């Protein structure tokens, strides 16, 4: 597998970073995950703009220009022998010669990227839906930044796995925020509900597409706070992300969501999403 590290393309086995890298020592860095369909990165500009927001949020100058990112990603995508891919970009504050919390001076950031086959949920998983649990959202107050400091997300996701579930839905101050690694949508009395994009959640690129598709197809929707009570009374729950696309949640904390089967709006939205993906994404840079 070919990866990109600090300006060079090289085999993964030859890629080396220092153990003093601040990503390793402090989780001091940011990342992006970009789905690629038929070798076309999906919403690349939006992902690169979110990367810029994350870099600005941690006061790390962008090491590459927009054109630099586009060219590098294009080369990486072309180098793989599979067409549907998941590209990871990661930038850390680099490796100093000592360990000090404060920013180092004159240290080059570490820039890493690699691509893997895009593995989306199987048709069987999508048809059955998945189980989720809830847990308190113990993360910091800047969840809008896509940082590599993911320990709270890792623990939350593992809590789901330990409970035989797929995702953990996080609750902060009695309100739904998001999943351990996904955005969450609620359908309540025919209305699609989404938590607002603020410091409590990552602004999902898939989230934006779902709301665009809802608007285009005349689905009534609202972006507002969602209480734990509304979450538990939902007719439908979905998780969305670049790699999971749109996945219905049919059990929450062991209880059925709605009728305990993927709901009609989830199925409709996935059909719109799939059509968009196959008709538009595979054929143009959008
Ligand atoms: N995660 N919220 C969190 C906390 C996430 O980690 C993700 C995605 C999302 C959905 O964002 P998007 O639709 O832009 O993928 C929401 C990626 C896939 C990951 O960490 O692997």
């Amino acid at each position: 597998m070919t990866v990109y590290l600090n300006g060079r393309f090289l085999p993964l086995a030859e890629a080396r970073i220092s153990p003093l890298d601040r990503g390793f020592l402090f989780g001091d860095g940011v990342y992006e995950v970009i789905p690629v369909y038929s070798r076309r990165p999906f919403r690349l500009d939006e992902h690169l703009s979110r990367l810029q927001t994350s870099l600005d949020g941690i006061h790390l100058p962008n090491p590459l220009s927009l054109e630099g990112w586009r060219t590098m990603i294009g080369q990486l995508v072309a180098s793989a022998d599979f067409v549907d891919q998941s590209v990871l970009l990661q930038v850390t504050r680099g490796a100093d010669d000592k360990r000090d919390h404060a920013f180092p001076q004159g240290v080059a950031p570490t820039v890493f990227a690699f691509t893997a086959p895009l593995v989306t949920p199987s048709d069987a998983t999508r048809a059955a839906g998945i189980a989720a649990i809830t847990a308190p959202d113990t993360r910091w107050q800047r969840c809008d930044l896509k940082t590599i400091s993911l320990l709270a997300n890792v623990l939350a996701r593992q809590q789901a796995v330990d409970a035989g579930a797929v995702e953990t839905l996080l609750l902060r101050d009695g309100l739904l925020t998001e999943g351990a690694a996904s955005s969450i949508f609620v359908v309540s009395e025919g209305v699609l509900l989404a938590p607002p994009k603020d410091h409590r959640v990552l602004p999902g690129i898939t989230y934006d597409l779902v709301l665009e598709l809802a608007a285009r197809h005349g689905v009534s929707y609202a972006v507002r706070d969602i209480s734990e009570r509304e979450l538990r009374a939902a007719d439908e729950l979905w998780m969305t992300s670049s790699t999971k696309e749109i996945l219905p949640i049919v059990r929450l904390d062991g209880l059925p969501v709605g009728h305990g089967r993927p709901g009609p709006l989830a199925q409709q939205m996935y059909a719109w999403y799939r059509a968009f993906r196959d008709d538009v994404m595979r054929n143009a840079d959008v």
Side-chain angles (χ1 to χ4, degrees), residues 185-186 191-196 207 211 214 219-226:
F185 288 85
V186 173
V191 180
L192 179 62
L193 302 176
Y207 167 112
L211 292 184
V219 173
S220 65
Y221 70 90
V223 175
R224 63 161 173 80
D225 282 343
I226 298 166

Side-chain angles (χ1 to χ4, degrees), residues 88-105:
L88 173 97
L89 310 178
Q90 184 154 317
V91 184
T92 78
R93 211 179 304 275
D96 201 359
D97 54 6
K98 59 182 180 306
R99 181 180 180 277
D100 180 351
H101 285 63
F103 296 175
Q105 297 300 316

Side-chain angles (χ1 to χ4, degrees), residues 77-193:
V77 165
S79 76
D81 52 13
F82 37 87
V83 297
D84 285 1
Q85 308 177 20
S86 165
V87 169
L88 173 97
L89 310 178
Q90 184 154 317
V91 184
T92 78
R93 211 179 304 275
D96 201 359
D97 54 6
K98 59 182 180 306
R99 181 180 180 277
D100 180 351
H101 285 63
F103 296 175
Q105 297 300 316
V107 167
T110 301
V111 183
F112 174 62
F114 84 105
T115 188
L118 177 65
V119 181
T120 54
S122 67
D123 289 345
T125 301
R126 204 177 294 288
I130 53 114
I133 61 169
T134 57
D137 192 341
T138 57
R139 298 174 303 162
W140 69 334
Q141 300 285 349
R142 291 306 307 275
C143 296
D144 53 320
L145 306 178
K146 201 162 173 63
T147 78
I148 60 169
S149 308
L150 286 170
L151 194 49
N153 305 65
V154 166
L155 293 173
R157 177 56 73 82
Q158 187 58 36
Q159 207 176 323
V161 171
D162 290 345
V166 169
E167 184 58 306
T168 296
L169 278 46
L170 301 170
L171 291 159
R172 177 171 285 190
D173 302 327
L175 302 175
L176 167 69
T177 56
E178 60 183 339
S182 60
S183 309
I184 304 296
F185 288 85
V186 173
V187 179
S188 179
E189 293 169 2
V191 180
L192 179 62
L193 302 176

Side-chain angles (χ1 to χ4, degrees), residues 31 33 50 146 153 178-183 202 204-206 241-242:
Y31 77 109
V33 177
R50 187 170 67 183
K146 201 162 173 63
N153 305 65
E178 60 183 339
S182 60
S183 309
L202 185 78
I205 309 286
T206 320
S241 79
S242 294

Side-chain angles (χ1 to χ4, degrees), residues 9 13 17 20 26 29 46 60 62 81 101 103 125 132 152 158 170 215 226-227 248 255 260:
F9 290 93
I17 59 167
L20 289 186
F26 298 114
E46 285 82 349
L60 182 57
N62 196 331
D81 52 13
H101 285 63
F103 296 175
T125 301
Q158 187 58 36
L170 301 170
I226 298 166
S227 70
L255 297 172

